[in-house]
């Protein structure tokens, strides 16, 4: 993959070029995206309504539903966001971590280098309001929760801790979080950036969409 270079003030060094990689006509709700290794020529994309993971080659556009597992299915007889299954996903050391938003579960699954499964899915927790997430070097997932919080999930034990926001309260400083990423600069590597969806879910007033930074005080992640 090619790097995207910005100047220190955030402006682009060259005019971005948009090129269609490919179309996944069978896809329904393509959502989260990740890769196994940065040098790979493919990405993995969750499909929240298909209940699986698409593998898309960025050079050719060729695609396949590389993973389809019951742990990725959304709840039956639900609508809107409640019908979503797999949402955020990350790969670390050839282990796929992913959350199921509708079922409020969090899973892991071993992968081969070509993104095929190397073993069954393992449940980490069955009680987490989740959307997207970032994962640190100690296997802690920092989960953006639509219930107005940033949750730290220990993927080894399933233990959860609200580290920012007030869970399920409209007075929270974080309102309907949707995605989380660690900073990449020297000064913000210990911070998590959160996007919020502007009140699409319970507890967020209209017009609250935006981005927040949570400084965790970590020197590494």
């Amino acid at each position: 993959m090619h790097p995207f270079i910005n100047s220190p003030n955030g402006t682009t060094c060259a005019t971005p070029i948009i090129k269609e990689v490919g179309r996944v006509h069978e896809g329904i709700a393509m959502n989260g995206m990740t890769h196994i290794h940065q040098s790979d020529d493919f990405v993995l994309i969750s499909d929240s309504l298909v209940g699986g993971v698409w593998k898309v080659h960025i050079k050719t556009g060729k695609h396949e539903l590389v993973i389809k597992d019951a742990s990725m299915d959304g709840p039956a007889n639900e609508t809107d966001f409640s019908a979503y299954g797999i949402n955020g996903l990350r790969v670390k050391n050839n282990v796929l971590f992913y959350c199921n938003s509708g079922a409020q579960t969090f899973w892991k699954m071993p992968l081969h280098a070509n993104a095929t499964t190397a073993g069954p899915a393992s449940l980490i927790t069955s009680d987490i309001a989740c959307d997207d997430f970032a994962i640190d070097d100690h296997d802690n997932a920092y989960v953006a929760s639509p219930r107005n919080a940033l949750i730290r999930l220990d993927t080894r034990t399933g233990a959860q801790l609200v580290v920012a926001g007030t869970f399920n309260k409209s007075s929270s400083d974080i309102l309907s979080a949707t995605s989380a990423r660690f900073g990449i600069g020297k000064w913000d590597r210990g911070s998590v950036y959160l996007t919020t969806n502007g009140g699409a879910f319970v507890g967020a007033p209209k017009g609250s969409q935006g981005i927040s930074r949570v400084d965790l005080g970590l020197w590494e992640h």
Side-chain angles (χ1 to χ4, degrees), residues 113-135:
N114 65 356
T116 56
T117 58
S122 299
L123 180 66
I124 295 172
T125 185
S126 58
D127 182 24
I128 185 166
C130 53
D131 197 318
D132 205 352
F133 60 92
I135 194 161

Side-chain angles (χ1 to χ4, degrees), residues 133-156:
F133 60 92
I135 194 161
D136 69 12
D137 293 335
H138 306 287
D139 293 340
N140 295 304
Y142 287 82
V143 182
S145 174
R147 297 294 182 178
N148 301 347
L150 174 65
I151 300 172
R152 185 177 69 204
L153 170 66
D154 186 332
T155 64
R156 296 158 296 187

Side-chain angles (χ1 to χ4, degrees), residues 180-211:
R181 293 291 185 277
F182 280 107
I184 60 174
K186 291 182 179 180
W187 57 274
D188 67 351
R189 286 180 57 81
S191 301
V192 173
Y193 291 88
L194 288 172
T195 53
T196 54
N197 67 19
F201 305 125
V202 174
K206 297 296 183 182
S208 65
Q209 67 271 21
I211 183 168

Side-chain angles (χ1 to χ4, degrees), residues 9 15 22 24-25 30-31 38-39 53 67 69 74 90-91 115 124 129 157 162 168 179 192 202 212 219:
N9 66 2
T15 302
V24 183
H25 295 287
M30 299 175 74
N31 199 331
Q38 195 167 5
S39 59
V53 177
I67 305 172
D69 191 85
R90 295 285 176 272
V91 178
I124 295 172
T157 66
V162 174
N168 221 28
S179 187
V192 173
V202 174
S212 300
W219 289 104

Side-chain angles (χ1 to χ4, degrees), residues 15-60:
T15 302
I17 299 173
I18 299 173
K19 179 182 178 181
E20 182 178 279
V21 172
R23 298 191 179 189
V24 183
H25 295 287
E26 309 94 324
I28 301 177
M30 299 175 74
N31 199 331
M33 183 165 61
T34 191
H35 53 67
I36 296 180
H37 304 106
Q38 195 167 5
S39 59
D40 287 340
D41 65 351
F42 63 86
V43 293
L44 302 177
I45 305 174
S46 63
D47 194 318
S48 299
L49 292 180
V50 166
V53 177
W54 295 100
K55 176 182 178 180
V56 180
H57 293 267
I58 59 176
K59 293 181 179 178
T60 65

